[in-house]
Each structure stands twice: as structure tokens, then as C-alpha cells.
Amino acid sequence: MRTVIFRTSAPYLTSLMVLFSVFVLLRGHNEPGGGFIGGLIAASAFAIYGIACGVSPVRRALYFHPMALSGFGLFLAALSGFASLFFGVPFLTGLWTSPEILGVTVDLSTVLFFDIGVYFVVVGSVTSIALALEERERV
Amino acid sequence: METALSGLVGLFYAVAVYLMLSKHTIRMILGIVILGNAVNMTIFAAGRVLREVPPIIPAGFDTPPESVANPLPQALVLTAIVISFSFFAFLLVLAYRAYQELGTDDTDEMRVAEPDGEGPPPMGY
Amino acid sequence: MASGSQSLTFFALVLPFLAALAAPFLTRVLKHNAAWVLAIAPAFIFLHFAGLLDTIAGGATVSGGYSWIPSLDIRFSWFLDGLSLTFALLISGIGTLIVLYSGGYLKGHPQLGRFFSFILLFMGAMQGLVVSDSFLTLFVFWELTSITSFLLIGFDHKREASRRAAIQALVVTGLGGLSLLAGLLVIWIATGETELSGLLAAGDTMRHSALYLVALVLVLGGAFTKSAQFPFHFWLPNAMEAPTPVSAYLHSATMVKAGVYLVMRLNPAFGGTDAWETVLPVFGGTTLIVGTLLAIRQTDLKLMLAYTTVASLGILVMLTGLGSDKAVEGAVLYLVAHSLFKGTLFMVAGVIDHESGTRDVTKLGGLRRAMPVTFAAALLAALSMGGLPPFFGFLAKEEIYAALQFQDGWHGLFTLVAILGNALMLVIGFAVALKPFLGPRVATPKDAHEGSVLLWLGPLALATLGLVSALLSGTAHHFVSSPMASAVAGSDIAVHISVVPHVSLPLVLSVLTVVLGIVVYWRLDQARAAIAGLLAAIGWGPDRGFDQTIRGLLRVSFGVTRIIQSGRMEVYMTVTFIAIALALWAPMTVFGELPDLPDMPNLPFYEWTVLAIAAIGLGAVVYAQDRLTAIVSLGIQGFAVALLFMLLGAPDLSFTQFMVETLSVVILALAMTRLRLHPSDHRPTNEKLLDIAVAAACGAGFGLLILKVTQMPFDDSLSEFFKTYSYVIAHGRNVVNVILVDFRGLDTLGEIAVVMIAGLAILALIRVRVPKPAADGKEGG
């Protein structure tokens, strides 16, 4: 599997897939997509990179340990739930704001951060599993 | 469509059960994957199926203008797919580690927890 | 009553538990002298209850409580009349002395703190038991005494005999407790009362209820096991494995009297019927005779005392059952007297054991010079136990004889029983109190001398109280005996008996008892040999029966476990799936709920194609001969499912399924290179047929179930809610995603936590290496 072509194209493929996964994540509220799907796409991107170039480049590229990303995601998701605390509404109630940034109206919400949290959990956990198995194979 | 779907899901269950009745862990895991699909489709079918109309509200509307697929089972199944994947990965690694440690994938030969021909318990106090 | 006093009573009930909490820490600092501090707790309780004496003697009752489970109308409530108060005073008073005595007896024991903790826990439980008003608190405290008794008997848990005795006591009294619970529930059904005070007022309803006998048998099951009535008496002598303070406190003065307390408490509601007046005297009388005879047989001081305790409990049950005013008076007096003299004698036995190193009465003698204070206490207690004037035991015995005195044939029988029992009791009392002290000095394992003040303070105080209370019988009766007897009888009774001699039939019977006792004491060795010979001839007793029952249970459960848990995975799986198939098929066929058989569905060709691809994929997984085929065909069925989702209006599901299947194939391929997939499944033909049948039954069952479900009317209110409000409230056009991250966000939070935990678990599984014992014992860092 570790052909030259594959090895050369894998980093670009991976970057494109990660970019695509972010796109899927962000459009998830109004079109098919969302944190789960986006996360799985990104995880497969890293898995492909790992198969093509080995595990250590992936770990270097990720910089953080995948499980740390996962933990960050869970933390972010829980934190976005606690935001409702300051407005006296029940845990995880969605809160919306629409500030204008550089002339574009951006809908920001706690729900968005929750979905980003889901994304990170899925990316982290699945990548961690895939990398762990790939590493074993090379021992 | 419901009829054909129930037939297919029945087949999924039958194959899953047959594989899980095997002695070999790897076949059992294949069975569990198929069982996961079968259960997902059961939930999906129980929410009634409707062709090709995803539950998405078009721009300019506040509610779906026509009848759309039932979103609730889809939400249930979506997380179920991801979780059953995690579960599958866990079982796979478990089987593979068990194979490394015990040198077998035959459940009949895995007798560490329930050894064969174990004597009676101590009768004292 | 005033709420200040109410909260004080509540504090008194909680205090022992607080003291139990503090005990280990105090003991760590103060060693055995912690006893002095810890004894403050029971002493305070004693003083608190003593403060209520005047109120209760005036005929009033004290009650109070807090709402506990309002929805079920269950309260944490207490209720004090003469009976409860006397018990409460005995528990806290003797408890104070026992705590001090324990400090001396277990001085230097490494687990003294734990011991204090247990004994204070027990004290709290017993205290709660005797003042409980609501059935539920009564039961909870009742079981708590069983559990603390278990802990205390098994205190020396390194010896098998202790463990056996502890388990035996727990099994017997615990089963009795369950019987009591059932009895209390039956009483509740029969009368509608959930509190004792209510039940006492509803005595007639209870006695005339159709459930009376059932309730009686169940409640007595609890009382008789707790109070060691024949044939449940065997656990009490075995409980002597506990340290002596425990024997003195739990197994003579307090806990074993819980059964007697219950019988006395229920006397106004249950008593007076033929069943009551037959069952109780017969069991009590039998217990009295068996207990005294077995006591004669023993040479161990503690065992002799234990069997006489059994006998004394028999007398108490017998008298309560006879139920006349005099009998109740006798029972009340005897109960108080017994707690005083038996507690003393146990502590004396403990002191002798502690100081001389043996408890065998045949190896002791001549200790009177070495241990004069202990000897004095023993003598005072033995005289009271023997029923000699001027001791409290004398008053009790006079009153017992006054109640019996050959009124008729029935009472005549019990008069004889009582004379024999009392005479033998006197023998044992003197054997314990005199044999070790009189006669020539016998060499003992340890050089005996008087113990510390902690050791002799308790026995001496109790024994003196037995004398003083008899001399001041007027005061004792006014504050204790009369209110208690009134509470037991359910009507006002004034106790009058005093030490002033009064020639009458009871006195004659007393003299007869003493003479008989002295004769037997003279011939004690022969009597012992005779009974030993008799027991050897019988050769079986409930104690051995207990062992046989336990072994039988173990063998049966081992056999059953062996059949049910064969250790073969396929058997477990087959049974599970057969059960599932039955669960699917049975309701549908039994209730005629099978779905209508539909026509052949009319689908466009591409849908048939997807279905066919899925079916082919499934078939290929089953028939896969090698790893690659298996992985690929698993992928095929998964992608077919993804296509189905796409066709049926679920793009989110479809994408997710595609991604998951891709990743599944990848990690399966990665792991499979390390695993073996057998070319084919070596299943014998008959096994294969069975598996196919089970699989087909499950598959068809699920298929029919889904068919049936889709033929039923569909409630779409929930789905409509999500569709209607997805954009309006949650500003999202993708309803599925809105459900996931907004409407049901908490579920999703839980689910991503599961995903993360699975990731962590896998990481751990891969990293953790079992160290190989021989080859590469060193783990790579």
C-alpha cells in the first residue's frame, strides 16, 4: 500500500478531507452534516495519512495526543451546556447571538460549540483507535 | 417498502445470530457488527419510511412544506452508528489482545475465569 | 411535648452512632482509656431517660418523631412507656459499664477502636429498637442489632469457630428478622396500623382478624429466633466465641431480650387468646428445661452462663404467655433481675478468664484471696440468681411462684417446670460464683490477681444494684416494675412484693427450690456425667443440623451452578438466543397478534438491487473462506445499508454509515493481519442445524415483529413537534442535527462520553501488557 504515489498524495488528500470535514461540520445545522459526520471524515483522513506515511508523522502533524483532542471536545460540549447557567435557563439550552463581523452576519450559538465538541470527541477517539492499531501492525 | 425492509432486517438478524453462535471470537465480532446494522434498521423502520424526502426545512419556510421523513429515528440511529462503531473497535481489540495473550480465538479454550472441572467450594466457615 | 425535649430524645437516639464514629480516633489517641470518654455517651443517654422516669411512673407516655417518607406515611417515630423505658435504661446503664469494662478487658488489643465502634453501634441499634414506634424503624433497628451482633461475634475473625458462630447467629436471627417483617406487614394489612402505639389500641381488631394466626406465627418466628427459644437456642451458646464484654452485653442483658421485648410489647394486642396462651408457655417451658439441663453439662464458665441465659429467656416467654397479672409481674421482675445478675456473672467470668487464663470450672479454685472484689460481685450476683433473699432475684422468683402455684393442672405443670428450672439455675449460679473462688488454690495458666478498676467496676456496680433495688423495693416498683408491668399487661398494675418474709405457698416453693438446688450442687459431677451420657445417646442436635443445612445448600448451589454455568460460551449464547426467539414468537402466537401477510411488494428495480446487494453481502460474510472475503463482504452489506438510508430520505445516516463502514474495514484489515480466520467454521452437523434453526427463528421473529409494528397505527406527535419547532425555536433547518445538538443535547453529551470512554479503553487494552511469568518477566518501561 505504501506506494510512492500514495505516499506523495496522502498529505494533500488528508488536508483536503480535514477541510471538507470542517465544512460538513459547520453546515450541519441547516444541511446534512454535523459533528458526527465531520468527525468521522477527519478521522478517516488521519487514518489514510497514517497508512500511507506511518504513524509518527500523523502524531507530529496532530501535535496533541488524539485522546487529548477527544477530552477537549467533551469539555467544550459540557462547557457550552453550562453557558445557559448565566441566563437562568436549564442546562444545554441553546443560546443564539448574531454579531456582524466584517460586514457579514454570523450566527453564533452555544449549539455550534456543542457540535464542535462532538466533532472533536469523534475525531480524537476514532483517530486514536486507528493509530493505535496501525502502530501495532508495524511492531 | 416496509415489507421488503422487514424481510431484509430479518435476514440481517438471522445472519448475525448464526455468526454469534460460532466458537470463534472473530466471527462473533462480525456477527455483532451485522447485529448493530440490524438494530439500527429496526429502529429506522419502526419510525416508518418515506422515500427520498430528507427532514430538512427549505430556505424561506418555517416548517417543512410537504411531508418529510421522520427525523426522530434518524437522530437515534445516527448516534447509535457511531457508538456501535466504537464498540466494535473495542471488541476487535479485545479479541486481538486475547489472541495474543492466550494464543487462541476459540472460546472453548478460554477457561481462565471458569476453569474446567473446578472442585466444590470450601465447606468450612 | 416540648420540642426541646423531643430533639433531646432524638439526640439520645443518634448519640451512640456518633460515638461509634469517634471511637477509632479517640482510641488511637487515648488507648484503652478512651473508654472513660466514650462511656459519657451511654451515661448521658441513661441520665436523659432517667429524667423521664417520673413522667412515665405517673402513667403518661412520651412519644415524638419526624416525618420520614411522607408519601408512604412512614415516620421515624418513638414511643416510650414503662416497658420501653426500662429497656432503654438497662441498655444505656449496662452499656455504660460495659464500655468501661471493655476498656479493661481488651486493653492493648490492636483493634480496640473497632471494638468500641461496633459495640456503640449495637447500643444505638438496640436503643432504637426498644423505643421505635413505627413498624419500619422497629424492623430496621431489629436487623441492625443482628448485623452488629454478627460483627461482634466475629470480632476475632481469624478463628474459624468465631466465623462459624457469627454466621450462624446472623443466619438464624436474620431469617427471624425477615419473618418479623412479614409478620409486621400482615399486621398492617389486618389492622391498617403502621405504628405500635396504634396497634396497642387496636388489640381487638387484631385478635378477631382472620389473619391473626398468620401474623402470630410470623412475629413469633422473629421473637423466638432472636431470644434463642428451643429449637433455635443453639446459636446463643456458640455466640460465646465473642469477647466477654459482648457476651455480657448482647447475649445476656440486652439483644437476646429483644425477642422477649417484642412478645411483651405485643401482649396487649395479641395476648389472651388460646393460641397465645398455649404456644408461648410450651415453647418457653421447653426452653427453660432444655437450657438448664444443657447448662449443667458444661464446664466452661461462659457456656454454663449462656445456657442459663437460654433458660431464663424461656421463663420470660413462658410467663408472658401465661398472661395473668401476677405472671406479667413475675416476668418483669425477672427480666430486670436477670439483666443485673447475668451481666455481672458474665463480666466476672471474663475477669477470671482474663486474670487466670482459663474458663474451665474444673481447673479453677481458691481465687478468693487473689480476687476479693470480683469474688464479692460474683457472690452477690449468684445469690440473686439463686433467688435468695434479700436480692432482686428473690422478689422475681416469689412473684413467679405466686403466679403459678398449682392453680390448675395447666399451671401445675409449669410450676414443676419452674421449680426444676430455678433449682438448676441456682446450681449453675453457685458453680460459677463459688467453684473458682473456694476450695484449695489450683494452679492456673496465669498467676491470677485482681484486675484494674475498669474490670471490676462494672460487675460490682451491677451486683450491688441487685441488692439495693430489692432493699428499696418500694422505689424500684414505683419507678420501674409497676409502669413496665402495666405496659405489658395493657392495664394498670401495681407491684407490691418486698423482701419482708411472708409465709405462703410461694415461699414454700422457694424453699423447695433451694433445697433441690443444693442437693444437685452436691452431686454436680454425677449430674454432669449423666446428662453428657444422655446427649451422647441422642447424638444429634440443631447445632449439627445447622451445619448439615449449610453444607447441603453449598452442595446444591454448586451442582446448580455447574449445570447453569458450564463455562462454554456457545451454550450461553444458544440459550440466550432461544430465549429471545421465544420472547418474540410466544406473545405474537399466544395472543393472535401475528401480522397480516402482505402482498409481494412492488418496488422499483434499483431498490430491489440494493436489497439484493445487502443480502449477497450477508451471505458472503457467512461463507467467507478467508480474511479478505470476510472483510470485503462485511463492507458490502454495510455500504448497502448506507444506500438504503440514502434512498429512504436519511442523508445524514447515509453519510455516517459510509464513513463508519470505511473505517470499520480499515481497522478490521489492520487487526485481521494479526488474527486467524479459520477457512471454515468447524461446526458438527447437528450443532450447525441447531444454530441455523435458532438463527432462523430469531430472524423470522424480528422480521414479523417489524412487519407488525409497521402495520400498527403510528403516533407521530413527537416527530411533528421536532419538525414544527426545529427552525422556529432552534434556528436549524436540518431537523436531525437539531435534535442531536439542541433538543436532545444531553443524550448526545452522554453518547460522546461513551465514544471517548471506548477510545480510552482501547488505548488501555493495547498498552497494558500482562507480564509473562517466566520468559520475559521484566516489563518494558
Side-chain angles (χ1 to χ4, degrees):
Chain A
M1 280 203 278
R2 306 186 65 185
T3 61
V4 177
I5 296 173
F6 189 29
R7 254 186 302 173
T8 318
S9 59
Y12 302 100
L13 192 59
T14 305
S15 339
L16 279 174
M17 280 176 79
V18 171
L19 203 61
F20 180 63
S21 76
V22 174
F23 166 70
V24 169
L25 159 72
L26 292 180
R27 77 167 200 160
H29 214 56
N30 293 324
E31 298 290 327
F36 280 106
I37 303 170
L40 286 168
I41 293 172
S44 359
F46 292 123
I48 287 173
Y49 192 22
I51 291 171
C53 308
V55 174
S56 12
V58 187
R59 292 209 190 277
R60 269 202 307 278
L62 277 173
Y63 188 75
F64 295 106
H65 190 282
M67 279 324 284
L69 292 180
S70 191
F72 168 71
L74 194 60
F75 180 69
L76 187 64
L79 207 62
S80 68
F82 277 115
S84 58
L85 202 68
F86 300 104
F87 296 86
V89 285
F91 183 59
L92 278 170
T93 306
L95 299 168
W96 291 79
T97 172
S98 302
E100 204 150 305
I101 298 171
L102 303 176
V104 184
T105 313
V106 181
D107 285 333
L108 280 181
S109 66
T110 56
V111 170
L112 178 67
F113 287 102
F114 185 82
D115 217 9
I116 294 174
V118 172
Y119 174 87
F120 272 109
V121 171
V122 175
V123 173
S125 300
V126 176
T127 309
S128 157
I129 296 167
L131 292 186
L133 281 167
E134 284 167 14
E135 222 160 24
R136 272 303 117 205
E137 196 201 20
R138 291 172 61 232
V139 170
Chain B
M1 190 64 199
E2 272 97 347
T3 313
L5 202 57
S6 31
L8 183 71
V9 177
L11 185 65
F12 266 80
Y13 274 110
V15 170
V17 170
Y18 183 76
L19 286 171
M20 286 169 77
L21 286 171
S22 166
K23 274 182 201 163
H24 300 286
T25 47
I26 189 66
R27 275 183 200 276
M28 296 171 86
I29 290 173
L30 296 180
I32 290 168
V33 173
I34 293 172
L35 188 70
N37 281 336
V39 172
N40 288 342
M41 280 198 287
T42 308
I43 297 172
F44 190 69
R48 305 299 185 274
V49 294
L50 196 77
R51 285 195 184 86
E52 290 159 21
V53 193
I56 288 170
I57 303 165
F61 290 87
D62 279 351
T63 51
E66 46 180 335
S67 112
V68 295
N70 186 352
L72 185 56
Q74 294 194 17
L76 295 176
V77 171
L78 200 147
T79 49
I81 293 175
V82 178
I83 288 186
S84 51
F85 169 71
S86 317
F87 185 55
F88 156 71
F90 175 73
L91 287 180
L92 189 68
V93 174
L94 190 65
Y96 144 74
R97 293 285 295 125
Y99 182 70
Q100 279 188 336
E101 296 296 333
L102 305 170
T104 177
D105 72 336
D106 187 336
T107 53
D108 270 358
E109 290 163 29
M110 299 181 180
R111 299 299 296 248
V112 178
E114 292 171 295
D116 231 353
E118 211 179 0
M123 288 287 172
Y125 288 92
Chain C
M1 69 184 281
S3 72
S5 176
Q6 160 142 343
S7 53
L8 203 59
T9 305
F10 182 72
F11 180 64
L13 290 177
V14 176
L15 188 60
F17 297 104
L18 298 178
L21 210 60
F25 304 102
L26 273 178
T27 312
R28 198 171 300 159
V29 180
L30 299 174
K31 307 289 178 234
H32 68 278
N33 283 321
W36 295 107
V37 181
L38 290 170
I40 295 173
F44 166 79
I45 299 167
F46 182 80
L47 289 177
H48 171 70
F49 284 124
L52 298 175
L53 269 174
D54 206 33
T55 320
I56 304 281
T61 59
V62 174
S63 59
Y66 298 97
S67 190
W68 187 7
I69 311 173
S71 55
L72 294 175
D73 194 23
I74 289 172
R75 283 155 40 82
F76 180 90
S77 54
W78 58 88
F79 161 73
L80 278 144
D81 58 1
L83 175 61
S84 304
L85 188 66
T86 308
F87 265 97
L89 287 172
L90 284 175
I91 292 159
S92 52
I94 299 180
T96 311
L97 300 175
I98 288 288
V99 168
L100 294 176
Y101 178 76
S102 310
Y105 187 81
L106 289 173
K107 182 177 173 179
H109 193 288
Q111 282 159 349
L112 182 60
R114 171 146 50 128
F115 184 82
F116 277 135
S117 200
F118 287 167
I119 209 146
L120 287 163
L121 272 182
F122 164 77
M123 189 184 297
M126 193 66 204
Q127 197 79 253
L129 167 62
V130 294
V131 301
S132 279
D133 192 6
S134 100
F135 288 171
L136 194 74
T137 46
L138 174 76
F139 170 74
V140 168
F141 283 125
W142 181 280
E143 290 295 49
L144 204 53
T145 59
S146 295
I147 292 165
T148 44
S149 160
F150 167 80
L151 292 172
L152 285 166
I153 297 172
F155 183 68
D156 194 2
H157 56 85
K158 284 180 183 147
R159 286 191 306 125
E160 186 175 5
S162 289
R163 295 197 297 271
R164 172 174 183 270
I167 288 171
Q168 193 177 49
L170 186 68
V171 168
V172 175
T173 58
L175 284 180
L178 293 181
S179 170
L180 172 68
L181 177 65
L184 292 174
L185 290 175
V186 172
I187 294 176
W188 181 40
I189 293 166
T191 63
E193 297 290 345
T194 58
E195 304 205 326
L196 285 168
S197 48
L199 176 66
L200 295 182
D204 281 331
T205 324
M206 188 67 239
R207 278 188 287 269
H208 296 123
S209 162
L211 293 169
Y212 173 77
L213 267 184
V214 181
L216 180 66
V217 169
L218 289 172
V219 168
L220 289 186
F224 282 4
T225 46
K226 196 78 158 185
S227 277
Q229 297 296 294
F230 181 83
F232 306 113
H233 64 279
F234 55 91
W235 71 264
L236 183 53
N238 288 338
M240 294 302 126
E241 292 297 338
T244 305
V246 177
S247 311
Y249 192 39
L250 273 71
H251 304 122
S252 78
T254 57
M255 186 189 88
V256 289
K257 294 221 173 69
V260 175
Y261 165 78
L262 187 68
V263 171
M264 286 184 163
R265 170 55 78 213
L266 294 177
N267 185 43
F270 274 79
T273 62
D274 285 347
W276 182 267
E277 294 188 350
T278 313
V279 173
L280 264 62
V282 166
F283 273 91
T286 316
T287 309
L288 169 59
I289 296 297
V290 171
T292 45
L293 288 178
L294 290 173
I296 299 282
R297 150 92 185 78
Q298 300 299 330
T299 56
D300 181 312
L301 289 176
K302 277 180 78 178
L303 284 179
M304 292 158 81
L305 291 172
Y307 279 107
T308 56
T309 305
V310 171
S312 303
L313 295 168
I315 296 192
L316 292 171
V317 169
M318 181 177 95
L319 290 170
T320 314
L322 290 172
S324 65
D325 283 0
K326 281 281 175 197
V328 167
E329 285 176 29
V332 165
L333 292 173
Y334 192 79
L335 189 143
V336 176
H338 177 258
S339 294
L340 298 179
F341 68 67
K342 196 54 72 64
T344 308
L345 287 177
F346 263 114
M347 288 196 260
V348 165
V351 175
I352 294 172
D353 183 18
H354 193 260
E355 297 302 324
S356 73
T358 179
R359 297 199 303 248
D360 191 331
V361 74
T362 58
K363 293 178 186 152
L364 286 163
L367 291 174
R368 63 188 177 282
R369 286 251 167 64
M371 308 168 73
V373 186
T374 312
F375 179 48
L379 199 59
L380 292 177
L383 290 171
S384 186
M385 183 169 170
L388 293 170
F391 291 92
F392 208 68
F394 170 70
L395 303 186
K397 200 176 55 174
E398 288 297 285
E399 204 71 356
I400 292 170
Y401 286 143
L404 298 169
Q405 59 179 341
F406 296 108
Q407 283 169 10
D408 49 40
W410 182 245
H411 282 83
L413 176 67
F414 289 111
T415 314
L416 290 177
V417 167
I419 291 174
L420 180 60
N422 275 329
L424 293 179
M425 213 101 74
L426 181 142
V427 174
I428 302 295
F430 282 124
V432 172
L434 298 183
K435 283 254 153 123
F437 295 101
L438 299 180
R441 181 75 184 254
V442 177
T444 47
K446 280 201 264 179
D447 184 28
H449 51 81
E450 195 64 78
S452 69
V453 58
L454 281 169
L455 276 176
W456 56 254
L457 182 66
L460 193 66
L462 278 186
T464 315
L465 198 59
L467 176 64
V468 172
S469 58
L471 293 176
L472 302 175
S473 60
T475 316
H477 292 334
H478 173 68
F479 284 113
V480 176
S481 319
S482 298
M484 182 173 169
S486 307
V488 176
S491 57
D492 281 342
I493 294 182
V495 183
H496 293 297
I497 184 128
S498 70
V499 287
V500 180
H502 37 90
V503 179
S504 61
L505 185 56
L507 194 65
V508 175
L509 294 176
S510 275
V511 172
L512 197 66
T513 309
V514 172
V515 171
L516 183 63
I518 290 171
V519 171
V520 178
Y521 185 71
W522 200 258
R523 298 268 165 214
L524 184 58
D525 290 336
Q526 283 95 323
R528 186 179 290 145
I531 294 170
L534 181 69
L535 286 179
I538 299 173
W540 188 89
D543 195 31
R544 283 186 58 193
F546 177 82
D547 278 348
Q548 288 160 350
T549 314
I550 296 288
R551 289 220 185 87
L553 264 175
L554 271 175
R555 286 213 186 84
V556 168
S557 41
F558 175 64
V560 170
T561 310
R562 207 167 212 181
I563 294 168
I564 295 179
Q565 298 188 1
S566 57
R568 289 166 55 85
M569 187 73 178
E570 314 140 68
V571 179
Y572 300 161
M573 297 300 275
T574 311
V575 171
T576 309
F577 284 120
I578 288 175
I580 289 175
L582 282 177
L584 287 168
W585 280 92
M588 280 198 279
T589 44
V590 171
F591 296 105
E593 296 270 349
L594 284 169
D596 308 321
L597 276 185
D599 302 329
M600 195 64 187
N602 182 19
L603 302 178
F605 75 95
Y606 56 87
E607 293 189 353
W608 279 122
T609 316
V610 175
L611 295 180
I613 291 173
I616 291 167
L618 287 177
V621 177
V622 175
Y623 286 107
Q625 298 290 324
D626 55 50
R627 292 187 298 225
L628 194 60
T629 324
I631 295 170
V632 169
S633 36
L634 192 74
I636 289 174
Q637 60 85 31
F639 287 124
V641 172
L643 276 176
L644 265 178
F645 284 145
M646 183 61 101
L647 288 175
L648 298 176
D652 284 298
L653 288 194
S654 186
F655 291 162
T656 314
Q657 179 81 13
F658 268 121
M659 294 319 301
V660 161
E661 286 305 328
T662 313
L663 283 164
S664 295
V665 168
V666 170
I667 67 164
L668 197 56
L670 290 172
M672 278 285 212
T673 51
R674 292 262 152 190
L675 269 168
R676 194 164 39 136
L677 183 67
H678 288 273
S680 63
D681 231 356
H682 298 294
R683 306 192 201 187
T685 314
N686 54 346
E687 206 175 281
K688 197 176 235 169
L689 287 177
L690 175 70
D691 289 354
I692 288 173
V694 173
C698 282
F702 274 111
L704 290 176
L705 182 73
I706 298 166
L707 205 55
K708 181 67 191 175
V709 166
T710 52
Q711 284 170 5
M712 307 272 279
F714 182 57
D715 175 12
D716 62 351
S717 51
L718 208 52
S719 309
E720 282 307 316
F721 169 86
F722 290 129
K723 283 182 203 165
T724 314
Y725 294 109
S726 170
Y727 189 69
V728 183
I729 296 181
H731 311 288
R733 294 189 181 280
N734 180 358
V735 187
V736 175
N737 190 264
V738 171
I739 294 177
L740 281 176
V741 296
D742 199 331
F743 287 129
R744 305 298 312 159
L746 193 61
D747 296 355
T748 310
L749 190 62
E751 281 149 359
I752 55 177
V754 171
V755 171
M756 186 175 152
I757 290 166
L760 283 174
I762 290 167
L763 216 55
L765 257 183
I766 289 183
R767 290 223 176 133
V768 173
R769 295 277 145 182
V770 182
K772 292 271 161 56
D776 44 33
K778 274 185 291 177
E779 249 190 297

